[in-house]
Amino acid sequence: QVQLVESGGGLVQAGGSLRLSCAASGRTFSTYAMGWFRQALGKEREAVAVISRSGGNTVYADSVKGRFTISRDNAKNTVYLQTNSLKPEDTAVYYCAADRKLGPTTLLNKYDYWGQGTQVTVSS
């Protein structure tokens, strides 16, 4: 069982940056592929960025390529999402998730554990 707690969300102007963090409980964090997902009001949840167990393999949604960076620190049981050049359309609740299988995958239904989410609001 893994518990995930996101932090770092907030209100930011367009063009600004936020660094989201997701802290995981337990001693097996390095055995999970991790992902960041988001859900805007009235829309389906979508993958933003995913990262392999070692951090050596990452995949990004086209909409965030070149602006967002996913990383992880297995010693700290934490995965990060650095968001730069934020746009109003990035406004959403951002969730992190853990996948016990090989990963990384952008398929939501492959993830076993989810955090409660952190709100990111980008004003124009």
Side-chain angles (χ1 to χ4, degrees), residues 4-118:
L4 304 172
V5 180
E6 302 96 335
S7 62
L11 174 63
V12 63
Q13 289 187 332
S17 300
L18 287 172
R19 189 193 194 200
L20 308 184
S21 299
C22 172
S25 64
R27 295 175 290 180
T28 59
F29 178 72
S30 62
T31 66
Y32 293 86
M34 299 295 295
W36 282 98
F37 300 81
R38 67 186 181 186
Q39 187 167 16
L41 197 62
K43 296 187 177 181
E44 293 186 351
R45 194 172 298 189
E46 62 177 2
V48 175
V50 298
I51 189 167
S52 61
R53 296 168 175 175
S54 67
N57 187 17
T58 57
V59 180
Y60 294 91
D62 287 343
S63 59
V64 306
K65 281 181 182 177
R67 300 188 298 123
F68 290 10
T69 302
I70 188 171
S71 61
R72 65 189 296 163
D73 185 338
N74 286 343
K76 295 183 178 180
N77 282 14
T78 303
V79 61
Y80 304 97
L81 186 69
Q82 178 67 43
T83 66
N84 298 329
S85 302
L86 283 161
K87 304 175 182 180
E89 51 263 44
D90 294 317
T91 295
V93 178
Y94 283 70
Y95 300 89
C96 71
D99 174 11
R100 291 178 297 183
K101 298 164 288 295
L102 183 60
T105 177
T106 57
L107 298 176
L108 276 69
N109 62 2
K110 299 297 185 182
Y111 284 80
D112 304 289
Y113 304 104
W114 291 83
Q116 293 300 306
T118 185

